[in-house]
Amino acid sequence: MKQLLKAVLIAAALVVLIKVFAFTSCTIPSTGMENSLLRGERVIVNKWSYGLRLPLMGMTGYHRLAARGVERGDIVLFNNPAGKGTIDRRELFINRCIGLPGDTLMLNGQLIQTRDQVLSPDSKLVYAYPGEQEDLIVEAMRRVGIGDNKLVGFDRGDFLRSFSHYEIYLMRQELRGQVTFRSLQTDTADGVHPFVVPARGRAVRVYPWNAKLLCNTIVQHEGRQARLQGDTLWVDGRRVTSYTFTKDYHWVASNNSVSLCDSRLFGFVPDDHIIGRASLIWFSKDTEEPFWHGFRWKRFFRLVQ
């Protein structure tokens, strides 16, 4: 009897150690990751995929052994970035990482990634507009503070000027549809803007379209006082045009855009919230036949893609 009890205790201890320090299993609660992961499937998460995040963060802080970066396209398990309390005790989410620290993503008004060409907010494109509206353009540039922007050419009665994504955004906002700009190169759709994913030690410039997201990130994860006044970001009582982040962040997305349980809801995911990579589906009820018709091996041990 003592030997049996000892064996049970050792087995239980091994299970706890494996779950805490190596692997964990979680059940997919929703349809957000279909068709990669189906609701009700159970997956193995490798806690060493990005280095082991040590437990008891509330007592010892954030530490990660043998840290490695997340790879674009990985399906990751992480704690809720918008939750309250100690990080490692928060609700769990699972999503695909589509933006790494330092990446630039083209996101629309719903913060969904688009297929538009990835542009720096300050990269220049050449735009054409009717020559008879030149006076209107010059006055608008003066009002928004775009100086030293000379004509670069002419095209069948149109005047040509180069504007950055930010400058053309300001011009369109200022002119409110009075002038139609035509890009001579690849342009982005209306309402689509470049968002830089913050990286440790790298300054991210504040623009009207990212100011709220940056403000929330600074308050929630950088531990600073921040607020918005119009499109102006204030940090610790000072107006800032850029902010240098102290952590690496990631942008995650659901496979199913209808599901809002991703970065559109809670913003950037800091590296200290990431637990590991979903590596293996060890159980699934998804089959062409009813479950009771017998097990199919294809339900088990399927790699997560």
Side-chain angles (χ1 to χ4, degrees), residues 1-17:
M1 186 65 182
K2 290 183 178 180
Q3 294 295 325
L4 178 61
L5 180 60
K6 182 179 180 181
V8 170
L9 291 175
I10 291 174
L14 287 173
V15 169
V16 171
L17 288 173

Side-chain angles (χ1 to χ4, degrees), residues 78-85 90 93 220-221 265-268 270 273:
F78 56 94
N79 295 103
N80 181 6
K84 302 295 184 183
R90 296 179 186 175
F93 286 107
Q220 292 176 351
H221 306 302
L265 175 67
F266 43 69
F268 297 115
H273 285 57

Side-chain angles (χ1 to χ4, degrees), residues 127-265:
Y127 291 87
Y129 56 87
E132 61 269 18
Q133 294 180 310
E134 172 66 1
D135 291 343
L136 193 60
I137 294 294
V138 171
E139 177 59 23
M141 288 196 301
R142 185 193 63 79
R143 290 197 299 268
V144 299
I146 301 176
D148 194 25
N149 189 327
K150 298 179 181 179
L151 288 170
V152 297
F154 306 91
D155 179 36
R156 294 171 293 181
D158 287 346
F159 284 13
L160 307 181
R161 287 185 192 271
S162 61
F163 293 101
S164 70
H165 183 89
Y166 180 46
E167 289 170 341
I168 200 67
Y169 170 87
L170 293 178
M171 292 294 287
R172 284 170 170 160
Q173 294 292 310
E174 180 67 23
L175 291 166
R176 300 181 181 275
Q178 296 179 71
V179 177
T180 299
F181 292 95
R182 174 173 57 89
S183 174
L184 299 190
Q185 298 142 293
T186 301
D187 195 8
T188 58
D190 287 344
V192 175
H193 302 294
F195 285 76
V196 176
V197 182
R200 182 187 295 112
R202 187 176 301 183
V204 178
R205 186 172 171 182
V206 181
Y207 296 100
W209 58 83
N210 72 355
K212 183 177 180 180
L213 181 59
L214 294 184
C215 181
N216 291 341
T217 305
I218 292 167
V219 171
Q220 292 176 351
H221 306 302
E222 296 285 312
R224 305 284 292 276
Q225 296 293 323
R227 63 183 176 87
L228 280 180
Q229 186 173 339
D231 292 330
T232 302
L233 177 61
W234 295 76
V235 178
D236 294 337
R238 294 186 299 108
R239 180 182 181 274
V240 299
T241 57
S242 65
Y243 182 84
T244 301
F245 286 84
T246 63
K247 300 179 182 180
D248 284 329
Y249 292 84
H250 305 78
W251 188 264
V252 300
S254 303
N255 282 1
N256 181 357
S257 61
V258 175
S259 172
L260 290 176
C261 290
D262 57 20
S263 285
R264 292 171 292 164
L265 175 67

